[in-house]
Amino acid sequence: MKRFSAFAATLWISLVPAFSQETSAPARPLDALLAGETAWQMTTAQFEQQFGPARFDWLSEKKDQARFFGPGLSLWEGSIKLNEAIIEFSPEGNPAKLTFSLYNRGDSETLISLRDQFEARVNELKETISKRLAVSPTERGKDKSSAVAAEGFVWMKAPSAYLLEYSYQREMKSRSIPFRAEFIRLRVANVGAGGRNAMASTSTAGSAAPVGRSTLVNNIKREANGDVVIANVPMVDQGPKGYCAVATAERVFKYYGIPVDQHEMAQIADTTDGGGTSPDKMLAALNKLEGRMGVSVRVIEDWEYKKFMDKVADYNKEAKKAKKPEVDASPRGNTIYINEIIEQMDGEVLKVARTERDRAGFGKFQRTVATLIDQGIPIMWSVSLGLLPEQEIPQASGGHMRLIIGYNAKTGEALYSDSWGADHALKRMPLANAYTMTNGLYYMQPRAK
């Protein structure tokens, strides 16, 4: 299988409107999460009772992660406003790590456009945290092991470690690259009496140790109904922003025990503020991280001009046969607008064209899915939504990325998962439908040791 190559077209993955904060929203204080030993000892039942009024969602049936999102969230009597909070629980059912998003391009209502403003905001937050903890911070500097080498400050106040972490895109006038504020987040971990040597826990708590390729098969569940599914793939909720590609990447990295999040990926992949990731930049970003994160990145199916035009030709033959309108795939200038061409297609006609006129490709798709799932490797799956009906999904049409995490040979189904929360953790559709909507198939796996 070949390595990732550039994606030459205007197909963008996940164009979903960004969330807008409401200035008059009811207050949702999360101060009790920072109550030291008391907070770390909460059970999930106590957590539900304490924070139910603040409205949160469990990200899995196992209740190992909870997510607060939306307007009104704050810490320390409203002194720090939040976009999101993720609470990770230990196997014993107690909170182990807290991640608070104080600013990120995808969720923040007002974007910071100048470096001076961004640095002022970081300093303001540093002073607020120091005052609240009555402890002076230690400058951590850049974390060379992280995907973006984020900078940070650390406070130690037993039993907790606090890490204020931030990242931005540097201005490079010679290459016409502007300054861009990426994210500011506060991570808090339970380190007990671990002292300064426990500082790294704020980055890695709640993440498993990097896994070896040979152990992945231990995650496969084979059910009596014929389902073969990869268990233990972490859920990440991208929210209403168009971060499906980078959220999907985060899920795969975390499945392999590698702590990379969607905001780091959005920085590397140049995901737009309005929500969308160019596939060529996404694939280039993953290739950049291969060496540092210890993974191999591979492509199974990538968009290519000739293959796409062959697909259009097959579609038009079937459309003519079915007395349906043919599609116009003529370029405008030097650009092929893939989404516009796909939107002209009838899904059922395309399904016949894909599965009957390209039987070899359909067969390869089915074999590849089974082969990778049997190895415990989830497949990053780029699709076009809206071609065929799907129930209760927040994005009606356009490019999207999701994960194939299983199959059922008895029923001829693909088992898949979307980065929209626990309700989308495991879904299924006929393999013929899955192949019809496919734009690309990619995967990462840990490098052999």
Side-chain angles (χ1 to χ4, degrees):
M1 296 177 181
K2 61 181 179 176
R3 295 173 62 81
F4 276 126
S5 60
F7 195 110
T10 57
L11 176 66
W12 284 66
I13 300 174
S14 194
L15 298 175
V16 180
F19 179 82
S20 177
Q21 295 276 9
E22 299 174 21
T23 54
S24 60
R28 299 162 65 195
L30 301 183
D31 300 36
L33 286 170
L34 301 180
E37 197 66 48
T38 302
W40 298 127
Q41 291 176 352
M42 276 191 295
T43 64
T44 52
Q46 291 169 334
F47 177 85
E48 288 176 320
Q49 183 177 14
Q50 172 82 40
F51 293 100
R55 302 187 311 282
F56 69 90
D57 295 307
W58 291 111
L59 292 182
S60 74
E61 293 181 354
K62 295 187 295 184
K63 295 186 177 182
D64 55 0
Q65 288 190 87
R67 176 178 183 260
F68 297 87
F69 181 77
L73 295 171
S74 68
L75 292 174
W76 285 315
E77 299 169 352
S79 61
I80 294 180
K81 305 298 182 183
L82 307 176
N83 297 128
E84 179 185 59
I86 303 292
I87 318 304
E88 299 178 41
F89 290 77
S90 69
E92 294 73 34
N94 309 114
K97 177 184 174 184
L98 320 173
T99 301
F100 302 106
S101 176
L102 314 184
Y103 173 89
N104 71 75
R105 286 192 294 112
D107 296 317
S108 295
E109 182 181 30
T110 303
L111 297 181
I112 300 173
S113 58
L114 299 175
R115 180 167 174 173
D116 288 349
Q117 294 174 341
F118 185 71
E119 291 177 343
R121 178 62 178 148
V122 171
N123 286 329
E124 177 189 349
L125 289 165
K126 183 176 70 169
E127 291 174 6
T128 297
I129 296 168
S130 296
K131 182 177 179 181
R132 289 287 174 171
L133 298 178
V135 174
S136 296
T138 298
E139 185 170 356
R140 188 203 61 185
K142 293 184 177 180
D143 180 5
K144 297 294 185 180
S145 65
S146 79
V148 296
E151 300 179 59
F153 297 93
V154 176
W155 294 259
M156 303 299 303
K157 185 169 184 179
S160 305
Y162 300 77
L163 169 62
L164 181 67
E165 204 166 24
Y166 60 95
S167 183
Y168 57 89
Q169 175 183 273
R170 294 183 181 276
E171 181 183 29
M172 299 179 68
K173 292 182 179 179
S174 61
R175 295 169 56 187
S176 299
I177 297 175
F179 168 82
R180 187 175 66 196
E182 295 291 343
F183 62 82
I184 307 172
R185 63 192 175 209
L186 177 64
R187 288 177 162 174
V188 188
N190 180 11
V191 296
R196 292 194 180 276
N197 290 335
M199 184 172 65
S201 296
T202 51
S203 295
T204 59
S207 299
V211 300
R213 192 183 301 178
S214 62
T215 65
L216 297 179
V217 294
N218 298 332
N219 293 312
I220 300 168
K221 291 176 63 179
R222 298 181 185 273
E223 306 288 1
N225 66 353
D227 284 356
V228 180
V229 63
I230 302 173
N232 306 319
V233 177
M235 174 51 70
V236 172
D237 192 335
Q238 71 185 75
K241 57 189 176 295
Y243 273 30
C244 64
V246 293
T248 296
E250 176 182 350
R251 297 181 68 188
V252 177
F253 277 121
K254 285 189 171 178
Y255 170 66
Y256 293 143
I258 303 169
V260 176
D261 77 12
Q262 61 182 312
H263 303 296
E264 295 169 347
M265 288 303 307
Q267 178 175 345
I268 300 170
D270 199 26
T271 301
T272 66
D273 302 338
T277 306
S278 168
D280 58 336
K281 291 183 178 180
M282 180 68 203
L283 306 187
L286 292 174
N287 281 325
K288 273 185 192 175
L289 295 176
E290 276 190 311
R292 191 187 306 173
M293 299 303 163
V295 296
S296 297
V297 181
R298 296 291 183 265
V299 62
I300 307 161
E301 179 76 22
D302 201 6
W303 190 93
E304 294 176 9
Y305 176 77
K306 183 182 182 305
K307 287 166 66 174
F308 181 72
M309 295 309 292
D310 287 344
K311 184 195 300 188
V312 172
D314 285 345
Y315 174 85
N316 281 339
K317 288 174 185 175
E318 286 300 326
K320 187 174 183 180
K321 204 162 127 184
K323 297 183 179 180
K324 297 278 189 178
E326 298 178 37
V327 302
D328 180 6
S330 303
R332 299 206 301 270
N334 295 320
T335 305
I336 296 290
Y337 290 88
I338 303 173
N339 283 337
E340 292 182 10
I341 296 170
I342 292 172
E343 285 171 2
Q344 298 177 56
M345 293 179 170
D346 178 286
E348 292 299 328
V349 172
L350 181 61
K351 181 160 64 172
V352 174
R354 293 283 279 155
T355 58
E356 294 296 327
R357 290 185 175 272
D358 185 17
R359 292 184 181 182
F362 184 34
K364 178 185 175 184
F365 174 79
Q366 296 176 78
R367 292 190 301 274
T368 300
V369 167
T371 297
L372 289 172
I373 297 303
D374 286 344
Q375 296 175 57
I377 298 172
I379 304 166
M380 301 173 71
W381 180 29
S382 173
V383 301
S384 290
L385 299 179
L387 281 168
L388 295 164
E390 295 186 58
Q391 293 183 345
E392 298 179 358
I393 60 173
Q395 182 182 338
S397 62
H400 179 57
M401 184 168 277
R402 51 185 28 154
L403 284 175
I404 296 178
I405 59 172
Y407 68 93
N408 189 314
K410 289 182 181 179
T411 60
E413 292 176 310
L415 309 183
Y416 65 100
S417 181
D418 285 301
S419 55
W420 291 322
D423 291 342
H424 301 271
L426 178 60
K427 299 184 284 187
R428 59 186 68 229
M429 72 166 62
L431 281 159
N433 288 25
Y435 185 60
T436 299
M437 64 173 58
T438 296
N439 292 319
L441 293 170
Y442 321 99
Y443 70 93
M444 293 186 283
Q445 63 182 355
R447 288 186 173 175
K449 297 180 181 179

